[in-house]
Short mmCIF file of all heavy atoms in Angstrom, two decimals:
data_model
loop_
_atom_site.label_atom_id
_atom_site.label_comp_id
_atom_site.label_asym_id
_atom_site.label_seq_id
_atom_site.Cartn_x
_atom_site.Cartn_y
_atom_site.Cartn_z
N MET V 1 0.82 -1.19 0.00
CA MET V 1 0.00 0.00 0.00
C MET V 1 0.86 1.25 0.00
O MET V 1 0.50 2.26 -0.60
CB MET V 1 -0.91 -0.06 1.23
CG MET V 1 -1.93 1.02 1.28
SD MET V 1 -3.13 0.75 -0.03
CE MET V 1 -4.21 2.06 0.25
N LEU V 2 2.02 1.16 0.64
CA LEU V 2 2.91 2.31 0.72
C LEU V 2 3.49 2.65 -0.65
O LEU V 2 3.64 3.82 -0.99
CB LEU V 2 4.04 2.04 1.72
CG LEU V 2 5.00 3.19 1.98
CD1 LEU V 2 4.26 4.39 2.54
CD2 LEU V 2 6.11 2.76 2.91
N GLN V 3 3.78 1.62 -1.45
CA GLN V 3 4.31 1.86 -2.79
C GLN V 3 3.28 2.56 -3.66
O GLN V 3 3.61 3.44 -4.44
CB GLN V 3 4.74 0.55 -3.43
CG GLN V 3 5.96 -0.07 -2.80
CD GLN V 3 6.31 -1.40 -3.43
OE1 GLN V 3 5.51 -1.96 -4.18
NE2 GLN V 3 7.49 -1.91 -3.13
N LEU V 4 2.02 2.17 -3.54
CA LEU V 4 0.96 2.80 -4.31
C LEU V 4 0.80 4.26 -3.90
O LEU V 4 0.66 5.14 -4.76
CB LEU V 4 -0.36 2.05 -4.13
CG LEU V 4 -1.56 2.61 -4.87
CD1 LEU V 4 -1.31 2.56 -6.37
CD2 LEU V 4 -2.82 1.86 -4.50
N ALA V 5 0.86 4.54 -2.62
CA ALA V 5 0.74 5.91 -2.14
C ALA V 5 1.91 6.76 -2.62
O ALA V 5 1.74 7.92 -3.01
CB ALA V 5 0.65 5.93 -0.62
N THR V 6 3.10 6.18 -2.62
CA THR V 6 4.29 6.90 -3.10
C THR V 6 4.17 7.20 -4.58
O THR V 6 4.45 8.32 -5.01
CB THR V 6 5.55 6.06 -2.82
OG1 THR V 6 5.62 5.74 -1.44
CG2 THR V 6 6.80 6.81 -3.23
N LYS V 7 3.73 6.23 -5.35
CA LYS V 7 3.57 6.45 -6.80
C LYS V 7 2.51 7.51 -7.08
O LYS V 7 2.68 8.35 -7.96
CB LYS V 7 3.22 5.14 -7.49
CG LYS V 7 4.37 4.16 -7.56
CD LYS V 7 3.97 2.89 -8.25
CE LYS V 7 5.12 1.90 -8.27
NZ LYS V 7 4.75 0.64 -8.92
N LEU V 8 1.41 7.47 -6.35
CA LEU V 8 0.36 8.46 -6.54
C LEU V 8 0.83 9.86 -6.15
O LEU V 8 0.50 10.85 -6.81
CB LEU V 8 -0.89 8.09 -5.75
CG LEU V 8 -1.71 6.93 -6.31
CD1 LEU V 8 -2.86 6.58 -5.38
CD2 LEU V 8 -2.23 7.26 -7.68
N CYS V 9 1.62 9.95 -5.09
CA CYS V 9 2.17 11.23 -4.66
C CYS V 9 3.12 11.79 -5.71
O CYS V 9 3.07 12.99 -6.04
CB CYS V 9 2.87 11.08 -3.32
SG CYS V 9 3.48 12.62 -2.65
N ILE V 10 3.98 10.96 -6.26
CA ILE V 10 4.91 11.39 -7.31
C ILE V 10 4.14 11.81 -8.55
O ILE V 10 4.45 12.84 -9.17
CB ILE V 10 5.93 10.28 -7.61
CG1 ILE V 10 6.89 10.09 -6.43
CG2 ILE V 10 6.71 10.59 -8.89
CD1 ILE V 10 7.80 8.90 -6.55
N LEU V 11 3.11 11.06 -8.92
CA LEU V 11 2.29 11.41 -10.07
C LEU V 11 1.60 12.75 -9.85
O LEU V 11 1.57 13.61 -10.74
CB LEU V 11 1.26 10.32 -10.33
CG LEU V 11 0.29 10.58 -11.48
CD1 LEU V 11 1.02 10.64 -12.81
CD2 LEU V 11 -0.80 9.53 -11.50
N PHE V 12 1.03 12.96 -8.65
CA PHE V 12 0.35 14.22 -8.35
C PHE V 12 1.32 15.39 -8.40
O PHE V 12 1.00 16.44 -8.98
CB PHE V 12 -0.31 14.12 -6.97
CG PHE V 12 -0.96 15.40 -6.54
CD1 PHE V 12 -2.15 15.81 -7.11
CD2 PHE V 12 -0.38 16.19 -5.56
CE1 PHE V 12 -2.75 16.98 -6.73
CE2 PHE V 12 -0.98 17.37 -5.17
CZ PHE V 12 -2.17 17.77 -5.75
N LEU V 13 2.50 15.24 -7.83
CA LEU V 13 3.48 16.33 -7.84
C LEU V 13 3.97 16.62 -9.26
O LEU V 13 4.18 17.77 -9.63
CB LEU V 13 4.66 15.99 -6.93
CG LEU V 13 4.36 16.00 -5.43
CD1 LEU V 13 5.57 15.51 -4.65
CD2 LEU V 13 3.94 17.39 -4.98
N THR V 14 4.14 15.59 -10.05
CA THR V 14 4.57 15.77 -11.43
C THR V 14 3.52 16.53 -12.22
O THR V 14 3.83 17.43 -13.00
CB THR V 14 4.84 14.41 -12.09
OG1 THR V 14 5.82 13.71 -11.34
CG2 THR V 14 5.32 14.57 -13.52
N LEU V 15 2.25 16.18 -12.02
CA LEU V 15 1.17 16.88 -12.72
C LEU V 15 1.04 18.32 -12.25
O LEU V 15 0.65 19.19 -13.03
CB LEU V 15 -0.15 16.13 -12.54
CG LEU V 15 -0.26 14.80 -13.28
CD1 LEU V 15 -1.57 14.10 -12.91
CD2 LEU V 15 -0.17 15.00 -14.77
N CYS V 16 1.37 18.59 -10.99
CA CYS V 16 1.26 19.96 -10.47
C CYS V 16 2.34 20.88 -11.05
O CYS V 16 2.08 22.06 -11.27
CB CYS V 16 1.37 19.96 -8.95
SG CYS V 16 -0.13 19.36 -8.15
N ILE V 17 3.52 20.36 -11.29
CA ILE V 17 4.60 21.23 -11.77
C ILE V 17 4.71 21.25 -13.29
O ILE V 17 5.46 22.02 -13.84
CB ILE V 17 5.96 20.84 -11.15
CG1 ILE V 17 6.36 19.42 -11.56
CG2 ILE V 17 5.93 20.97 -9.65
CD1 ILE V 17 7.77 19.06 -11.17
N THR V 18 3.94 20.40 -13.98
CA THR V 18 3.96 20.36 -15.44
C THR V 18 3.07 21.47 -15.98
O THR V 18 1.91 21.58 -15.60
CB THR V 18 3.46 19.00 -15.95
OG1 THR V 18 4.24 17.96 -15.38
CG2 THR V 18 3.54 18.92 -17.46
N PRO V 19 3.60 22.32 -16.86
CA PRO V 19 2.76 23.39 -17.42
C PRO V 19 1.69 22.82 -18.34
O PRO V 19 1.89 21.81 -19.02
CB PRO V 19 3.75 24.26 -18.18
CG PRO V 19 4.88 23.36 -18.50
CD PRO V 19 4.96 22.37 -17.38
N LEU V 20 0.56 23.47 -18.38
CA LEU V 20 -0.53 23.01 -19.23
C LEU V 20 -0.35 23.46 -20.67
O LEU V 20 -0.61 22.72 -21.61
CB LEU V 20 -1.87 23.52 -18.68
CG LEU V 20 -2.24 23.02 -17.29
CD1 LEU V 20 -3.55 23.65 -16.84
CD2 LEU V 20 -2.34 21.51 -17.28
N ASP V 21 0.08 24.70 -20.86
CA ASP V 21 0.26 25.23 -22.20
C ASP V 21 1.73 25.58 -22.41
O ASP V 21 2.38 26.11 -21.52
CB ASP V 21 -0.56 26.50 -22.41
CG ASP V 21 -2.05 26.23 -22.39
OD1 ASP V 21 -2.43 25.11 -22.77
OD2 ASP V 21 -2.81 27.14 -21.99
N ALA V 22 2.19 25.29 -23.59
CA ALA V 22 3.54 25.70 -23.96
C ALA V 22 3.40 26.90 -24.89
O ALA V 22 2.98 26.77 -26.03
CB ALA V 22 4.29 24.57 -24.64
N HIS V 23 3.68 28.07 -24.37
CA HIS V 23 3.58 29.29 -25.16
C HIS V 23 4.89 29.49 -25.91
O HIS V 23 5.74 30.28 -25.52
CB HIS V 23 3.27 30.49 -24.27
CG HIS V 23 1.99 30.34 -23.52
ND1 HIS V 23 0.76 30.46 -24.13
CD2 HIS V 23 1.72 30.05 -22.23
CE1 HIS V 23 -0.19 30.28 -23.25
NE2 HIS V 23 0.37 30.02 -22.07
N ALA V 24 5.04 28.72 -26.98
CA ALA V 24 6.29 28.75 -27.73
C ALA V 24 5.99 29.10 -29.18
O ALA V 24 4.93 28.78 -29.71
CB ALA V 24 6.97 27.39 -27.65
N TYR V 25 6.94 29.76 -29.79
CA TYR V 25 6.78 30.15 -31.19
C TYR V 25 8.14 30.05 -31.86
O TYR V 25 9.13 30.55 -31.35
CB TYR V 25 6.26 31.58 -31.30
CG TYR V 25 6.27 32.12 -32.70
CD1 TYR V 25 5.34 31.67 -33.63
CD2 TYR V 25 7.19 33.06 -33.10
CE1 TYR V 25 5.34 32.16 -34.92
CE2 TYR V 25 7.20 33.55 -34.38
CZ TYR V 25 6.27 33.10 -35.30
OH TYR V 25 6.28 33.57 -36.57
N ILE V 26 8.17 29.38 -32.98
CA ILE V 26 9.38 29.33 -33.77
C ILE V 26 9.11 30.19 -35.00
O ILE V 26 8.23 29.89 -35.80
CB ILE V 26 9.73 27.90 -34.20
CG1 ILE V 26 10.04 27.05 -32.97
CG2 ILE V 26 10.90 27.89 -35.16
CD1 ILE V 26 10.34 25.61 -33.29
N GLY V 27 9.86 31.26 -35.13
CA GLY V 27 9.67 32.16 -36.25
C GLY V 27 10.13 31.55 -37.56
O GLY V 27 10.79 30.51 -37.59
N PRO V 28 9.81 32.20 -38.65
CA PRO V 28 10.17 31.65 -39.96
C PRO V 28 11.69 31.59 -40.17
O PRO V 28 12.19 30.68 -40.81
CB PRO V 28 9.50 32.58 -40.96
CG PRO V 28 9.13 33.79 -40.21
CD PRO V 28 9.02 33.42 -38.78
N GLY V 29 12.41 32.54 -39.60
CA GLY V 29 13.87 32.52 -39.76
C GLY V 29 14.50 31.33 -39.05
O GLY V 29 15.36 30.64 -39.60
N ALA V 30 14.06 31.08 -37.83
CA ALA V 30 14.60 29.94 -37.07
C ALA V 30 14.17 28.62 -37.70
O ALA V 30 14.95 27.66 -37.75
CB ALA V 30 14.14 30.01 -35.62
N GLY V 31 12.94 28.57 -38.17
CA GLY V 31 12.46 27.34 -38.80
C GLY V 31 13.22 27.01 -40.08
O GLY V 31 13.62 25.87 -40.32
N LEU V 32 13.43 28.03 -40.91
CA LEU V 32 14.19 27.80 -42.14
C LEU V 32 15.64 27.44 -41.86
O LEU V 32 16.24 26.63 -42.57
CB LEU V 32 14.11 29.04 -43.04
CG LEU V 32 12.76 29.26 -43.72
CD1 LEU V 32 12.76 30.57 -44.48
CD2 LEU V 32 12.42 28.12 -44.64
N SER V 33 16.20 28.05 -40.82
CA SER V 33 17.58 27.70 -40.45
C SER V 33 17.67 26.25 -39.99
O SER V 33 18.62 25.54 -40.32
CB SER V 33 18.07 28.62 -39.33
OG SER V 33 18.12 29.94 -39.78
N ALA V 34 16.69 25.81 -39.21
CA ALA V 34 16.68 24.43 -38.75
C ALA V 34 16.52 23.46 -39.91
O ALA V 34 17.22 22.44 -39.99
CB ALA V 34 15.56 24.22 -37.73
N ILE V 35 15.63 23.78 -40.84
CA ILE V 35 15.44 22.92 -42.01
C ILE V 35 16.70 22.89 -42.87
O ILE V 35 17.13 21.83 -43.34
CB ILE V 35 14.22 23.39 -42.83
CG1 ILE V 35 12.94 23.14 -42.06
CG2 ILE V 35 14.16 22.69 -44.18
CD1 ILE V 35 11.71 23.78 -42.67
N GLY V 36 17.32 24.05 -43.06
CA GLY V 36 18.55 24.11 -43.85
C GLY V 36 19.68 23.33 -43.21
O GLY V 36 20.45 22.64 -43.90
N SER V 37 19.79 23.42 -41.89
CA SER V 37 20.83 22.66 -41.18
C SER V 37 20.60 21.16 -41.31
O SER V 37 21.55 20.39 -41.49
CB SER V 37 20.86 23.05 -39.71
OG SER V 37 21.17 24.40 -39.56
N PHE V 38 19.35 20.75 -41.21
CA PHE V 38 19.04 19.33 -41.35
C PHE V 38 19.38 18.83 -42.76
O PHE V 38 19.96 17.76 -42.93
CB PHE V 38 17.57 19.07 -41.03
CG PHE V 38 17.16 17.65 -41.23
CD1 PHE V 38 17.55 16.67 -40.34
CD2 PHE V 38 16.37 17.28 -42.32
CE1 PHE V 38 17.18 15.35 -40.53
CE2 PHE V 38 15.99 15.98 -42.51
CZ PHE V 38 16.40 15.00 -41.61
N LEU V 39 19.01 19.61 -43.77
CA LEU V 39 19.31 19.20 -45.15
C LEU V 39 20.82 19.16 -45.40
O LEU V 39 21.31 18.28 -46.12
CB LEU V 39 18.63 20.14 -46.13
CG LEU V 39 17.10 20.05 -46.19
CD1 LEU V 39 16.54 21.08 -47.14
CD2 LEU V 39 16.67 18.65 -46.59
N ALA V 40 21.56 20.10 -44.81
CA ALA V 40 23.02 20.09 -44.96
C ALA V 40 23.62 18.86 -44.29
O ALA V 40 24.56 18.25 -44.81
CB ALA V 40 23.61 21.36 -44.37
N LEU V 41 23.08 18.47 -43.15
CA LEU V 41 23.56 17.27 -42.46
C LEU V 41 23.30 16.02 -43.30
O LEU V 41 24.18 15.16 -43.44
CB LEU V 41 22.89 17.14 -41.09
CG LEU V 41 23.25 15.91 -40.28
CD1 LEU V 41 24.72 15.95 -39.87
CD2 LEU V 41 22.37 15.81 -39.06
N VAL V 42 22.11 15.92 -43.88
CA VAL V 42 21.78 14.78 -44.73
C VAL V 42 22.70 14.74 -45.95
O VAL V 42 23.21 13.68 -46.33
CB VAL V 42 20.29 14.82 -45.15
CG1 VAL V 42 19.99 13.81 -46.23
CG2 VAL V 42 19.40 14.59 -43.95
N ALA V 43 22.93 15.90 -46.56
CA ALA V 43 23.81 15.96 -47.74
C ALA V 43 25.24 15.57 -47.37
O ALA V 43 25.92 14.88 -48.14
CB ALA V 43 23.79 17.36 -48.34
N ALA V 44 25.71 15.96 -46.20
CA ALA V 44 27.06 15.60 -45.77
C ALA V 44 27.18 14.10 -45.55
O ALA V 44 28.19 13.48 -45.92
CB ALA V 44 27.42 16.36 -44.50
N VAL V 45 26.16 13.50 -44.96
CA VAL V 45 26.19 12.04 -44.74
C VAL V 45 26.18 11.30 -46.07
O VAL V 45 26.94 10.34 -46.27
CB VAL V 45 25.01 11.61 -43.84
CG1 VAL V 45 24.86 10.10 -43.81
CG2 VAL V 45 25.19 12.15 -42.43
N VAL V 46 25.35 11.74 -47.01
CA VAL V 46 25.30 11.10 -48.33
C VAL V 46 26.63 11.26 -49.06
O VAL V 46 27.13 10.31 -49.67
CB VAL V 46 24.13 11.68 -49.17
CG1 VAL V 46 24.23 11.25 -50.62
CG2 VAL V 46 22.80 11.27 -48.57
N ALA V 47 27.23 12.44 -48.97
CA ALA V 47 28.53 12.66 -49.62
C ALA V 47 29.62 11.80 -48.99
O ALA V 47 30.49 11.27 -49.69
CB ALA V 47 28.92 14.14 -49.53
N ALA V 48 29.57 11.63 -47.68
CA ALA V 48 30.56 10.78 -47.01
C ALA V 48 30.41 9.32 -47.43
O ALA V 48 31.40 8.64 -47.71
CB ALA V 48 30.42 10.91 -45.49
N ILE V 49 29.19 8.86 -47.48
CA ILE V 49 28.95 7.47 -47.92
C ILE V 49 29.40 7.30 -49.37
O ILE V 49 30.04 6.30 -49.71
CB ILE V 49 27.46 7.10 -47.73
CG1 ILE V 49 27.14 7.01 -46.25
CG2 ILE V 49 27.13 5.79 -48.43
CD1 ILE V 49 25.66 6.85 -45.95
N PHE V 50 29.07 8.26 -50.21
CA PHE V 50 29.48 8.21 -51.61
C PHE V 50 31.00 8.16 -51.72
O PHE V 50 31.56 7.36 -52.47
CB PHE V 50 28.93 9.43 -52.35
CG PHE V 50 29.32 9.48 -53.79
CD1 PHE V 50 28.69 8.66 -54.71
CD2 PHE V 50 30.29 10.35 -54.22
CE1 PHE V 50 29.04 8.72 -56.05
CE2 PHE V 50 30.65 10.41 -55.56
CZ PHE V 50 30.02 9.59 -56.48
N GLY V 51 31.69 9.01 -50.97
CA GLY V 51 33.15 9.06 -51.04
C GLY V 51 33.81 7.80 -50.54
O GLY V 51 34.80 7.34 -51.11
N PHE V 52 33.28 7.25 -49.45
CA PHE V 52 33.89 6.06 -48.87
C PHE V 52 33.57 4.79 -49.63
O PHE V 52 34.33 3.82 -49.55
CB PHE V 52 33.48 5.89 -47.40
CG PHE V 52 34.22 6.81 -46.48
CD1 PHE V 52 33.53 7.76 -45.76
CD2 PHE V 52 35.59 6.73 -46.33
CE1 PHE V 52 34.19 8.62 -44.91
CE2 PHE V 52 36.27 7.57 -45.49
CZ PHE V 52 35.57 8.52 -44.77
N LEU V 53 32.48 4.77 -50.36
CA LEU V 53 32.10 3.55 -51.07
C LEU V 53 32.38 3.60 -52.57
O LEU V 53 32.87 2.64 -53.14
CB LEU V 53 30.62 3.25 -50.85
CG LEU V 53 30.22 2.86 -49.43
CD1 LEU V 53 28.73 2.64 -49.36
CD2 LEU V 53 30.96 1.62 -48.97
N TRP V 54 32.06 4.72 -53.20
CA TRP V 54 32.12 4.77 -54.65
C TRP V 54 33.55 4.72 -55.18
O TRP V 54 33.85 3.95 -56.10
CB TRP V 54 31.42 6.02 -55.17
CG TRP V 54 31.56 6.19 -56.65
CD1 TRP V 54 32.30 7.11 -57.29
CD2 TRP V 54 30.98 5.38 -57.67
NE1 TRP V 54 32.22 6.95 -58.64
CE2 TRP V 54 31.40 5.89 -58.91
CE3 TRP V 54 30.14 4.28 -57.65
CZ2 TRP V 54 31.01 5.33 -60.10
CZ3 TRP V 54 29.76 3.73 -58.86
CH2 TRP V 54 30.19 4.25 -60.06
N TYR V 55 34.44 5.53 -54.64
CA TYR V 55 35.78 5.60 -55.21
C TYR V 55 36.59 4.31 -55.04
O TYR V 55 37.26 3.89 -55.98
CB TYR V 55 36.51 6.81 -54.65
CG TYR V 55 35.95 8.09 -55.21
CD1 TYR V 55 35.31 9.01 -54.41
CD2 TYR V 55 36.02 8.37 -56.57
CE1 TYR V 55 34.76 10.16 -54.92
CE2 TYR V 55 35.47 9.52 -57.10
CZ TYR V 55 34.85 10.41 -56.27
OH TYR V 55 34.30 11.55 -56.79
N PRO V 56 36.54 3.63 -53.91
CA PRO V 56 37.23 2.33 -53.85
C PRO V 56 36.63 1.29 -54.81
O PRO V 56 37.37 0.51 -55.42
CB PRO V 56 37.05 1.88 -52.40
CG PRO V 56 36.86 3.14 -51.65
CD PRO V 56 36.12 4.05 -52.57
N ILE V 57 35.32 1.31 -54.96
CA ILE V 57 34.69 0.38 -55.90
C ILE V 57 35.11 0.72 -57.33
O ILE V 57 35.42 -0.17 -58.13
CB ILE V 57 33.15 0.41 -55.75
CG1 ILE V 57 32.75 -0.21 -54.41
CG2 ILE V 57 32.47 -0.32 -56.90
CD1 ILE V 57 31.30 -0.04 -54.07
N LYS V 58 35.15 2.00 -57.65
CA LYS V 58 35.57 2.44 -58.98
C LYS V 58 37.02 2.03 -59.25
O LYS V 58 37.34 1.55 -60.35
CB LYS V 58 35.42 3.96 -59.06
CG LYS V 58 35.65 4.56 -60.41
CD LYS V 58 35.38 6.06 -60.33
CE LYS V 58 35.71 6.75 -61.60
NZ LYS V 58 35.48 8.20 -61.53
N ARG V 59 37.87 2.18 -58.27
CA ARG V 59 39.27 1.79 -58.43
C ARG V 59 39.39 0.28 -58.64
O ARG V 59 40.20 -0.18 -59.46
CB ARG V 59 40.07 2.22 -57.20
CG ARG V 59 41.56 2.00 -57.35
CD ARG V 59 42.32 2.46 -56.14
NE ARG V 59 42.06 3.88 -55.92
CZ ARG V 59 42.26 4.49 -54.75
NH1 ARG V 59 42.68 3.81 -53.72
NH2 ARG V 59 42.02 5.76 -54.61
N MET V 60 38.59 -0.50 -57.91
CA MET V 60 38.63 -1.95 -58.04
C MET V 60 38.16 -2.37 -59.44
O MET V 60 38.76 -3.25 -60.06
CB MET V 60 37.75 -2.60 -56.98
CG MET V 60 37.76 -4.11 -56.99
SD MET V 60 36.72 -4.83 -55.72
CE MET V 60 35.11 -4.28 -56.23
N VAL V 61 37.11 -1.75 -59.96
CA VAL V 61 36.61 -2.08 -61.30
C VAL V 61 37.65 -1.75 -62.35
O VAL V 61 37.88 -2.53 -63.29
CB VAL V 61 35.28 -1.35 -61.56
CG1 VAL V 61 34.87 -1.46 -63.01
CG2 VAL V 61 34.19 -1.91 -60.66
N ARG V 62 38.30 -0.59 -62.22
CA ARG V 62 39.34 -0.22 -63.18
C ARG V 62 40.51 -1.20 -63.15
O ARG V 62 41.06 -1.56 -64.19
CB ARG V 62 39.85 1.18 -62.90
CG ARG V 62 38.94 2.25 -63.38
CD ARG V 62 39.57 3.60 -63.20
NE ARG V 62 38.65 4.65 -63.65
CZ ARG V 62 38.86 5.93 -63.48
NH1 ARG V 62 39.96 6.35 -62.86
NH2 ARG V 62 37.99 6.82 -63.91
N SER V 63 40.91 -1.64 -61.96
CA SER V 63 42.03 -2.58 -61.88
C SER V 63 41.66 -3.93 -62.47
O SER V 63 42.48 -4.58 -63.10
CB SER V 63 42.50 -2.73 -60.44
OG SER V 63 41.53 -3.37 -59.65
N ARG V 64 40.41 -4.35 -62.29
CA ARG V 64 39.98 -5.62 -62.89
C ARG V 64 39.95 -5.52 -64.41
O ARG V 64 40.32 -6.46 -65.10
CB ARG V 64 38.61 -6.01 -62.37
CG ARG V 64 38.65 -6.57 -60.98
CD ARG V 64 37.33 -7.15 -60.60
NE ARG V 64 37.41 -7.71 -59.26
CZ ARG V 64 36.45 -8.35 -58.68
NH1 ARG V 64 35.30 -8.53 -59.31
NH2 ARG V 64 36.60 -8.83 -57.47
N LYS V 65 39.51 -4.36 -64.94
CA LYS V 65 39.50 -4.18 -66.38
C LYS V 65 40.91 -4.16 -66.92
O LYS V 65 41.20 -4.72 -67.98
CB LYS V 65 38.78 -2.88 -66.76
CG LYS V 65 37.29 -2.97 -66.66
CD LYS V 65 36.65 -1.68 -67.11
CE LYS V 65 35.14 -1.73 -66.99
NZ LYS V 65 34.50 -0.46 -67.39
N ALA V 66 41.84 -3.53 -66.20
CA ALA V 66 43.23 -3.49 -66.64
C ALA V 66 43.83 -4.88 -66.62
O ALA V 66 44.57 -5.27 -67.53
CB ALA V 66 44.03 -2.53 -65.74
N ASN V 67 43.54 -5.66 -65.59
CA ASN V 67 44.06 -7.04 -65.52
C ASN V 67 43.48 -7.90 -66.63
O ASN V 67 44.14 -8.74 -67.21
CB ASN V 67 43.74 -7.66 -64.15
CG ASN V 67 44.60 -7.08 -63.05
OD1 ASN V 67 45.65 -6.50 -63.32
ND2 ASN V 67 44.15 -7.21 -61.83
N ALA V 68 42.20 -7.69 -66.95
CA ALA V 68 41.58 -8.46 -68.01
C ALA V 68 42.19 -8.11 -69.37
O ALA V 68 42.42 -9.01 -70.19
CB ALA V 68 40.07 -8.19 -68.03
N SER V 69 42.47 -6.84 -69.59
CA SER V 69 43.09 -6.47 -70.88
C SER V 69 44.54 -6.97 -70.96
O SER V 69 45.01 -7.33 -72.02
CB SER V 69 43.02 -4.96 -71.08
OG SER V 69 43.83 -4.30 -70.12
N ASP V 70 45.26 -7.01 -69.82
CA ASP V 70 46.62 -7.55 -69.81
C ASP V 70 46.61 -9.03 -70.11
O ASP V 70 47.49 -9.56 -70.81
CB ASP V 70 47.29 -7.30 -68.46
CG ASP V 70 47.66 -5.85 -68.27
OD1 ASP V 70 47.70 -5.10 -69.28
OD2 ASP V 70 47.92 -5.45 -67.12
N ASN V 71 45.62 -9.76 -69.58
CA ASN V 71 45.53 -11.20 -69.82
C ASN V 71 45.18 -11.49 -71.29
O ASN V 71 45.60 -12.51 -71.83
CB ASN V 71 44.49 -11.83 -68.90
CG ASN V 71 44.98 -11.87 -67.46
OD1 ASN V 71 46.18 -11.81 -67.19
ND2 ASN V 71 44.05 -11.96 -66.52
N LYS V 72 44.42 -10.63 -71.93
CA LYS V 72 44.05 -10.84 -73.33
C LYS V 72 45.27 -10.63 -74.24
O LYS V 72 45.40 -11.27 -75.27
CB LYS V 72 42.93 -9.89 -73.75
CG LYS V 72 41.59 -10.29 -73.21
CD LYS V 72 40.52 -9.33 -73.70
CE LYS V 72 39.16 -9.71 -73.15
NZ LYS V 72 38.11 -8.78 -73.56
N GLU V 73 46.16 -9.72 -73.86
CA GLU V 73 47.34 -9.45 -74.67
C GLU V 73 48.34 -10.61 -74.61
O GLU V 73 49.08 -10.84 -75.56
CB GLU V 73 48.00 -8.15 -74.21
CG GLU V 73 47.19 -6.91 -74.53
CD GLU V 73 47.82 -5.65 -73.96
OE1 GLU V 73 48.91 -5.75 -73.34
OE2 GLU V 73 47.23 -4.58 -74.12
N ASN V 74 48.37 -11.30 -73.49
CA ASN V 74 49.35 -12.40 -73.34
C ASN V 74 48.87 -13.64 -73.93
O ASN V 74 48.44 -14.28 -74.56
CB ASN V 74 49.65 -12.66 -71.86
CG ASN V 74 50.44 -11.52 -71.27
OD1 ASN V 74 51.11 -10.81 -71.98
ND2 ASN V 74 50.33 -11.36 -69.98
#
């Protein structure tokens, strides 16, 4: 019974200190800045993945083509 009373007391106190309304406003400048930052982050991640994956794969394909052409000459 004591645990239930403690939980109810914590719940009541939490509800008492929690605000009912959040009087918040994000202006158009802040909103556009946040959207722009998010898009820049996504573009940076895509560019990093592209750089780390594409160029080694491209180098491997070129080396295989060079080895294949060397084998045809011999």
